[in-house]
Amino acid sequence: MEPLSLVESVLDNLPVAVFAKDANDDFRFVLWNKKQEQITTVKASKAVGRDDYDLFSEESADYFRSVDKAVLKRGKLLKVPEEIIEGKDGQDIHLRTVKIPVIEEETGRRLVVGISEDITEQVQARAKMESLNKNLLETNRELQETQLQLIQAEKLESIGRLAAGVAHEVKNPLALLLLGVDYLSDGIDPDDPNVDTILKQMREAVDRADRIVRGLVDFSSQRALTREPVKLHAVIDEVLLLVKHELTRSNTTVTVEVPDDLPHVFLDLSKFEQVVINLVINAVHAMSESKKPTLQIKAHSKKLDGVVKNQGARKYEVFRSGDPVVILELIDNGCGIESADATRLFDPFFTTKATGVGTGLGLSVARKIVQLHGGELQVIDRSDKKGAIAKLILPTKIDTGKVPVSSKSSK
Amino acid sequence: MARKILLVDDEAGFTQLLKMNLEKSGDFEVTIENDSMKAITTARSLQPDIVLLDVVMPGMDGGDVQAQFQSDSTLTNVPVIMLTALVDSAELSDGAVAQSGSSIVLPKPVDLPLLLRVIDEATGEA
Ligand SMILES: Nc1ncnc2c1ncn2[C@@H]1O[C@H](COP(=O)(O)OP(=O)(O)OP(=O)(O)O)[C@@H](O)[C@H]1O
Ligand SMILES: [Mg+2]
């Protein structure tokens, strides 16, 4: 074993690189410990007596020299949080360095002492984390986009199914208009009391056709989720207009008990209509065997006393105790829900209907939409008699719910 | 003598205007029934020469109403014209029209001259 001074042996066993340069001798290295050898792959015997320009690229050397001079000028310790030197295989080595100005007691030399820690692994880990995080955000954004696309696709599907009924509803006012035109085109007798009635009826027919066409166009529009304060009653009216033909054909009696003075709900009108249309059509299908098909639509508001827990995704547990909510229920007297099906209703593609009648996407998409609104959707078997209840819990505050319009990283 | 027409359709505005048009264009006496459930009762007391019947109605649809007429001895020979805002052929096969073998079907919006011609033919006035 080679005898070493205490200081030398301490220096060579430190887990950090230590070096010193003599400012009075053109910044030539006077100290170069073992760790510094490992990091730079330059032996102390090669380094001592040389300067940065002998050992590193000109660019790096310029940089080191400028820092050294700054340290001396300040006369105080200087921290360099991250600097990069080239390692043996050309890989970057990241260092955290402190440089200290020292005047040597015995000789009076002005030295710059550097202590460097190899932080390459930490830096790489951090970069990896950042890219993972970026990927995650990107994936999340894509997922939300896909969800919105899925919602739109499902909507197009229901528009296709509603179209015939809507066209039918438009043809009625058209039939009336044509009769009016026929009557009036023979020449108008100012004393004919029918003329007033006919003109009034024609005007109403135009309004009606306009309303229903506009309703369908609004419904089909593809927009990002945009929530606005909405009166639930208005939503229900609009939906009933679009499904009127389906209800008439199936002989369904609809009763609506939605008070006018309910608090506003914060909804995306068109997407929420999609939810209610789906639920109404589901009820109509379920009641196809019922003697007197009856659909009750009821709503009330209340303050939640317990926190509603969603069995599904934890992130949607958005209701807090005391939150005001509006509860909307669609109660049918159809076939009800088999207990074996109860847990599968919301599975995508779960359907008990013939091909062409149902794709089984309705409820899964409806729940997704309601959850995007920070609400909750349940479909349960009726306890009082045969039938099912679709129950919607809707927030009345704008801050409830996750709205995936733009996802930003929290930086 | 004026021919008696029974007009069964849930659309009150439509029936009102059709009545006005028919009565203006010919020697008709038009009775309106907007509730399909009451169509048979109204028809029994009216004994119309012809019935104009909507297909899609709440309560009973046109097919149900016609079946009632056919099983009533006083009405079974009364000609029936189905009016429908027919959109898909599914609606035809849905029952209403398919069941009523001999009926005449006219689309809504109604072509008035065509309707008048069909009424004349059906009531033997051509
Ligand atoms: N009100 C209800 N009463 C009884 N069963 C219902 C009711 N609503 C839904 N279901 C059952 O849940 C299944 C899934 O409904 P969902 O709306 O997801 O799909 P679908 O109606 O079959 O098809 P789609 O909505 O895609 O046209 C239905 O096939 C039916 O069996
Ligand atoms: Mg459905």
Side-chain angles (χ1 to χ4, degrees):
Chain A
M1 203 170 81
E2 208 185 322
L4 289 172
S5 76
L6 176 62
V7 175
E8 277 173 325
S9 64
V10 168
L11 280 175
D12 277 348
N13 286 295
L14 280 176
V16 291
V18 180
F19 55 85
K21 305 172 198 178
D22 184 351
N24 297 81
D25 186 18
D26 287 333
F27 292 94
R28 288 198 172 83
F29 285 99
V30 293
L31 178 70
W32 190 270
N33 82 340
K34 272 256 158 54
K35 189 71 189 175
Q36 176 76 350
E37 285 185 337
Q38 284 164 15
I39 291 175
T40 59
T41 66
V42 178
K43 287 271 170 221
S45 51
K46 286 264 161 49
V48 170
R50 299 229 164 81
D51 70 7
D52 288 309
Y53 290 94
D54 299 324
L55 301 173
F56 303 109
S57 70
E58 190 177 339
E59 195 189 351
S60 300
D62 277 346
Y63 164 75
F64 293 141
R65 183 64 52 87
S66 67
V67 176
D68 292 344
K69 286 184 172 160
V71 172
L72 290 172
K73 202 164 166 201
R74 275 162 58 101
K76 277 200 290 194
L77 172 150
L78 196 91
K79 290 182 184 171
V80 183
E82 188 174 337
E83 57 187 359
I84 300 170
I85 63 167
E86 206 173 282
K88 46 174 178 295
D89 312 319
Q91 310 153 303
D92 285 349
I93 296 174
H94 297 256
L95 301 173
R96 181 189 295 140
T97 302
V98 282
K99 288 189 169 176
I100 310 155
V102 173
I103 298 179
E104 205 177 25
E105 224 173 17
E106 313 97 74
T107 61
R109 291 190 297 184
R110 287 160 67 239
L111 303 177
V112 176
V113 177
I115 304 169
S116 294
E117 189 187 347
D118 184 351
I119 55 165
T120 309
E121 272 175 31
Q122 280 156 265
V123 169
Q124 280 166 353
R126 192 179 65 209
K128 208 164 165 186
M129 280 284 286
E130 272 170 10
S131 95
L132 272 180
N133 198 31
K134 221 178 108 201
N135 283 347
L136 211 66
L137 282 171
E138 178 66 13
T139 310
N140 192 36
R141 200 185 52 72
E142 278 172 11
L143 203 69
Q144 285 171 339
E145 228 160 61
T146 313
Q147 275 174 6
L148 290 174
Q149 277 165 8
L150 183 69
I151 290 172
Q152 183 66 15
E154 205 276 344
K155 183 198 274 186
L156 290 177
E157 174 112 24
S158 45
I159 290 171
R161 290 191 202 152
L162 290 177
V166 168
H168 190 283
E169 287 310 308
V170 174
K171 277 204 170 186
N172 273 322
L174 286 181
L176 199 144
L177 280 172
L178 188 61
L179 287 174
V181 170
D182 279 342
Y183 192 96
L184 299 174
S185 49
D186 284 353
I188 301 167
D189 173 1
D191 296 328
D192 184 350
N194 287 345
V195 172
D196 269 358
T197 316
I198 286 170
L199 288 175
K200 193 171 144 268
Q201 292 281 6
M202 289 175 81
R203 184 172 299 281
E204 269 170 24
V206 171
D207 284 349
R208 200 168 123 200
D210 181 57
R211 246 191 90 197
I212 185 151
V213 170
R214 200 135 30 115
L216 191 66
V217 171
D218 284 351
F219 178 57
S220 29
S221 74
Q222 179 173 25
R223 282 172 287 140
L225 197 76
T226 38
R227 299 167 72 190
E228 51 188 343
V230 171
K231 280 236 168 253
L232 202 53
H233 213 294
V235 184
I236 303 295
D237 286 352
E238 207 56 43
V239 166
L240 290 180
L241 194 70
L242 291 176
V243 296
K244 178 166 180 263
H245 188 65
E246 274 68 21
L247 293 169
T248 309
R249 267 176 78 155
S250 58
N251 243 330
T252 304
T253 310
V254 181
T255 62
V256 181
E257 289 166 60
V258 179
D260 251 350
D261 56 355
L262 279 181
H264 283 93
V265 276
F266 283 85
L267 300 175
D268 179 305
L269 199 58
S270 139
K271 295 204 174 38
F272 193 69
E273 278 175 19
Q274 188 178 350
V275 171
V276 181
I277 286 174
N278 263 301
L279 298 176
V280 171
I281 299 293
N282 277 353
V284 167
H285 285 162
M287 296 187 295
S288 62
E289 307 278 299
S290 308
K291 273 198 210 73
K292 209 180 168 310
T294 308
L295 176 65
Q296 294 165 264
I297 302 179
K298 291 184 182 175
H300 65 277
S301 68
K302 71 174 206 175
K303 279 204 176 16
L304 285 185
D305 8 297
V307 175
V308 174
K309 200 161 176 294
N310 175 343
Q311 316 87 307
R314 198 155 39 94
K315 92 185 220 226
Y316 290 116
E317 273 175 42
V318 285
F319 293 121
R320 285 175 294 262
S321 217
D323 275 355
V325 293
V326 168
I327 297 185
L328 173 66
E329 286 174 308
L330 289 90
I331 307 167
D332 67 54
N333 61 353
C335 57
I337 310 236
E338 299 274 340
S339 54
D341 294 341
T343 53
R344 297 192 291 162
L345 290 189
F346 289 93
D347 292 352
F349 303 112
F350 173 76
T351 181
T352 54
K353 297 170 191 174
T355 332
V357 179
T359 50
L361 280 177
L363 284 181
S364 69
V365 168
R367 174 174 270 178
K368 185 88 259 162
I369 294 174
V370 174
Q371 287 176 338
L372 288 173
H373 283 93
E376 188 44 61
L377 169 64
Q378 298 155 359
V379 177
I380 48 174
D381 199 43
R382 242 173 116 163
S383 54
D384 55 339
K385 52 161 93 169
K386 215 164 181 273
I389 304 178
K391 184 173 178 179
L392 288 143
I393 307 172
L394 301 169
T396 58
K397 288 194 305 191
I398 188 74
D399 62 327
T400 329
K402 309 265 189 288
V403 184
V405 189
S406 62
S407 50
K408 274 184 255 155
S409 72
S410 51
K411 259 197 146 180
Chain B
M1 208 182 76
R3 278 168 287 169
K4 288 185 282 184
I5 299 179
L6 174 60
L7 179 51
V8 186
D9 191 321
D10 59 313
E11 292 281 330
F14 176 78
T15 50
Q16 196 180 15
L17 261 65
L18 188 53
K19 174 183 159 82
M20 288 175 182
N21 271 298
L22 289 170
E23 291 184 345
K24 192 181 177 191
S25 345
D27 190 12
F28 298 118
E29 205 175 275
V30 180
T31 304
I32 292 173
E33 181 51 73
N34 292 127
D35 183 353
S36 61
M37 309 282 258
K38 294 188 189 144
I40 185 75
T41 323
T42 313
R44 277 192 192 122
S45 65
L46 180 70
Q47 291 297 320
D49 296 302
I50 189 162
V51 179
L52 306 184
L53 190 56
D54 185 24
V55 174
V56 182
M57 289 181 288
M60 290 172 87
D61 66 24
D64 297 338
V65 174
Q66 186 170 30
Q68 279 190 328
F69 283 24
Q70 246 143 31
S71 56
D72 185 300
S73 58
T74 66
L75 297 170
T76 187
N77 291 321
V78 179
V80 173
I81 300 178
M82 293 278 199
L83 299 179
T84 174
L86 196 62
V87 180
D88 51 3
S89 50
E91 207 166 281
L92 264 174
S93 54
D94 248 13
V97 183
Q99 284 165 16
S100 57
S102 64
S103 297
I104 305 152
V105 183
L106 288 183
K108 277 183 187 176
V110 178
D111 178 17
L112 206 56
L114 175 66
L115 177 63
L116 290 168
R117 216 165 50 237
V118 172
I119 292 175
D120 281 348
E121 274 168 27
T123 55
E125 291 264 332

